Amino acid sequence: MTTTARASTQHEDDRVRVTRWDFEPGQSTGRHVHAYDYVVVPVTDGRTHVIARDGTVTVSELRVGESYARPAGGEHEVVNAGTAPLAFVEIELK
């Protein structure tokens, strides 16, 4: 099994990029920096560990349809810390 979550671009144009992320337990996005403001829409319930650049870990409980938004510039890695597959849609605002 790969340790990297699967990213599938669903739509991209000059204003937005929509990516679906699918994770098995323990899989990660890898460390990255967001170039754009973004909105996350959970497709499944789940738990993530968000690991900041300084190593700080934030535990997040995701609930289907309970979206949240974050500004550009955040550097982190997202890990599926649950025991079931996890999926969310990320909408980046260019």
Side-chain angles (χ1 to χ4, degrees), residues 16-19 36-41 89-93:
V16 300
R17 178 172 38 217
V18 179
T19 306
Y36 306 107
D37 293 347
Y38 64 100
V39 176
V40 171
V41 183
V89 173
E90 177 183 85
I91 304 161
E92 297 173 281
L93 310 170

Side-chain angles (χ1 to χ4, degrees), residues 27-80:
Q27 287 187 324
S28 162
T29 58
R31 183 160 304 284
H32 59 281
V33 176
H34 284 271
Y36 306 107
D37 293 347
Y38 64 100
V39 176
V40 171
V41 183
V43 175
T44 63
D45 291 340
R47 171 178 287 180
T48 62
H49 287 172
V50 180
I51 306 168
R53 185 171 145 201
D54 66 3
T56 303
V57 177
T58 302
V59 177
S60 295
E61 297 291 336
L62 302 183
R63 299 287 173 243
V64 172
E66 292 183 12
S67 304
Y68 63 88
R70 298 284 185 267
E75 181 178 341
H76 62 256
E77 174 182 10
V78 179
V79 178
N80 178 358

